[in-house]
């Protein structure tokens, strides 16, 4: 059973516009959510996170919104830049899951069109 | 960047042969993880370690074993490689997983493994 779902395998956005990447989860025990960005032939790198006690976290052009009642989070990138083209993974951390790390979604490939 | 080195970066092997992938860290972090990335599946946890000689299974551990004899090294072994184990393997490290401050995972650059 997929605990973290990223239902859009790919997303194409024009440069300068807003990119919105969505993520849904089913595990009510998740207490932290993270977004990772991955370029080809490189490892994922941390982008931004949010605690379950907050509904918004902002870092420069990146903002993550959390809607706990809907079990939904979204990553907004404004304005989108060519270097944002990458695969984005949403991940959740189970507060009662021990040391077994994060549960990741399948990823969304963001393509920024010039 | 976190000091994580994965070796080899690329490997081609034949079905039935044993394969060992190495992850080396210079951060002295307690927790180490092995993930695999496959199209349509994202990142899935294979095994993880919470200290020297302390390891546990992840979501997709069948066909894999691990060992951690030193804090800095975490080895992933495919006892008898199969074509279904063709994948990109990522090692990750973390200082801690709980408490008031959650430490995120830092990933290595990956090992592309092809089993023919």
């Amino acid at each position: 059973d997929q605990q973290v779902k990223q239902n859009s395998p790919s997303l194409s956005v024009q440069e300068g516009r807003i990119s919105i990447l969505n993520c849904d989860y089913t595990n009510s025990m998740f207490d932290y959510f993270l977004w990772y960005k991955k370029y080809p032939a490189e490892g994922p790198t941390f982008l931004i996170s949010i605690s379950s006690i907050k509904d918004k976290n902002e870092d420069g052009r990146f903002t993550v919104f959390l809607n706990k009642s809907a079990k939904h989070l979204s990553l907004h990138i404004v304005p989108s830049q060519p270097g944002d083209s990458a695969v984005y993974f949403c991940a959740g951390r189970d507060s009662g899951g021990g040391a077994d790390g994060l549960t990741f979604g399948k990823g969304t490939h963001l393509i920024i069109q010039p | 960047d976190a000091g994580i080195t994965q070796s080899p970066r690329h490997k081609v092997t034949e079905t039935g042969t044993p394969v060992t992938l190495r992850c080396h860290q210079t951060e002295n972090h307690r927790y180490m993880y092995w993930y695999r990335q496959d199209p349509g599946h994202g990142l899935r946890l294979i095994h993880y370690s919470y200290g020297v000689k302390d390891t546990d299974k992840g979501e997709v551990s069948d066909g894999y074993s691990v060992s951690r004899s030193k804090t800095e090294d975490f080895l992933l072994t495919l006892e008898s490689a199969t074509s279904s184990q063709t994948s990109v393997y990522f090692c990750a490290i973390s200082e801690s997983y709980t408490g008031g401050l959650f430490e995120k995972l830092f990933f290595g650059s990956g090992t592309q493994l092809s089993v023919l």
Side-chain angles (χ1 to χ4, degrees):
Chain A
D1 183 31
Q2 226 183 316
Q3 297 186 56
V4 178
K5 301 178 185 179
Q6 293 178 259
N7 293 319
S8 299
S10 66
L11 176 67
S12 185
V13 175
Q14 251 190 326
E15 182 179 356
R17 308 292 283 263
I18 182 171
S19 295
I20 300 176
L21 291 82
N22 294 303
C23 179
D24 297 296
Y25 64 95
T26 59
N27 189 340
S28 300
M29 296 296 290
F30 283 153
D31 63 347
Y32 265 93
F33 301 89
L34 301 88
W35 286 92
Y36 278 79
K37 177 179 179 179
K38 186 186 177 306
Y39 292 119
E42 294 184 11
T45 56
F46 170 76
L47 187 58
I48 191 169
S49 65
I50 187 168
S51 165
S52 61
I53 64 174
K54 297 187 175 182
D55 55 18
K56 177 183 174 181
N57 188 27
E58 191 172 354
D59 184 1
R61 295 186 298 114
F62 303 91
T63 302
V64 57
F65 295 93
L66 175 61
N67 183 335
K68 283 187 67 177
S69 61
K71 291 190 172 66
H72 176 84
L73 62 156
S74 60
L75 173 68
H76 293 214
I77 306 174
V78 183
S80 300
Q81 298 175 354
D84 296 330
S85 294
V87 176
Y88 290 78
F89 292 101
C90 172
R93 195 278 295 264
D94 188 331
S95 61
D100 58 353
L102 306 172
T103 301
F104 288 85
K106 295 182 179 181
T108 295
H109 186 194
L110 177 63
I111 302 163
I112 304 302
Q113 304 278 11
Chain B
D1 290 344
I4 309 170
T5 304
Q6 290 188 233
S7 58
R9 290 297 312 276
H10 303 272
K11 185 168 182 68
V12 179
T13 191
E14 294 185 349
T15 299
T17 60
V19 177
T20 295
L21 308 182
R22 181 182 184 236
C23 178
H24 179 79
Q25 61 146 329
T26 58
E27 306 296 322
N28 201 36
H29 282 2
R30 177 181 175 186
Y31 301 94
M32 299 186 75
Y33 306 83
W34 278 107
Y35 285 87
R36 60 178 289 176
Q37 184 199 4
D38 304 288
H41 290 279
L43 291 158
R44 293 181 292 173
L45 181 65
I46 306 171
H47 280 279
Y48 64 98
S49 170
Y50 46 96
V52 174
K53 297 193 188 320
D54 292 322
T55 65
D56 206 345
K57 297 178 179 180
E59 177 189 357
V60 290
S61 59
D62 287 349
Y64 302 95
S65 63
V66 290
S67 67
R68 191 168 179 200
S69 58
K70 298 184 290 185
T71 298
E72 57 266 35
D73 289 325
F74 193 32
L75 303 180
L76 177 70
T77 297
L78 290 67
E79 303 290 349
S80 177
T82 67
S83 59
S84 65
Q85 293 175 312
T86 292
S87 185
V88 181
Y89 291 85
F90 289 102
C91 174
I93 65 175
S94 176
E95 174 63 25
S96 67
Y97 73 96
T98 189
L101 178 64
F102 173 68
E103 294 289 339
K104 54 188 174 286
L105 298 182
F106 296 92
F107 284 85
S109 299
T111 294
Q112 172 69 61
L113 176 67
S114 298
V115 184
L116 305 178

